[in-house]
């Protein structure tokens, strides 16, 4: 099992909010789950991140990946969380 946490900034109007991005790699069926009120563009992050990782010469983990965006009550949108 692998766990990581980084921080990003999410915008709500003109105000920036600190967003915790937690990622967990666990045994199970391979897949990527995003939780924490992501929008449709953020759900497409799995494709963008996978392409970037594979094109960098790294292997995509053959495990279950869960990405949690906190606080869950803050709406998250766009591709600004891809790097985190």
């Amino acid at each position: 099992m692998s766990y990581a946490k980084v921080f990003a900034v999410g915008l709500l109007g003109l105000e920036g909010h600190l967003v915790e991005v937690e990622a967990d790699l666990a045994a199970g069926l391979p897949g990527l789950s995003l939780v924490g009120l992501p929008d449709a563009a953020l759900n497409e992050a799995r494709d963008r991140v996978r392409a970037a990782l594979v094109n960098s010469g790294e292997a995509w983990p053959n495990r279950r990946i869960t990405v949690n965006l906190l606080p869950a009550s803050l709406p998250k949108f766009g591709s600004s969380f891809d790097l985190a």
Side-chain angles (χ1 to χ4, degrees):
M1 179 154 100
S2 214
Y3 173 80
K5 178 174 29 174
V6 296
F7 293 95
V9 174
L11 293 176
L12 188 59
L14 295 175
E15 192 173 327
H17 296 275
L18 196 60
V19 175
E20 250 180 83
V21 181
E22 300 174 335
D24 179 60
L25 288 158
L29 290 174
L32 178 76
S33 299
L34 284 170
V35 295
L37 208 53
D39 76 343
L42 209 56
N43 280 320
E44 295 169 359
R46 64 180 54 109
D47 299 324
R48 292 189 299 267
V49 171
R50 175 180 278 209
L53 192 67
V54 170
N55 287 321
S56 304
E58 298 295 324
W60 184 258
N62 196 20
R63 295 155 125 204
R64 187 179 72 220
I65 305 165
T66 304
V67 178
N68 188 21
L69 305 167
L70 298 166
S73 60
L74 177 72
K76 287 111 185 145
F77 55 91
S79 59
S80 60
F81 299 102
D82 286 5
L83 182 58

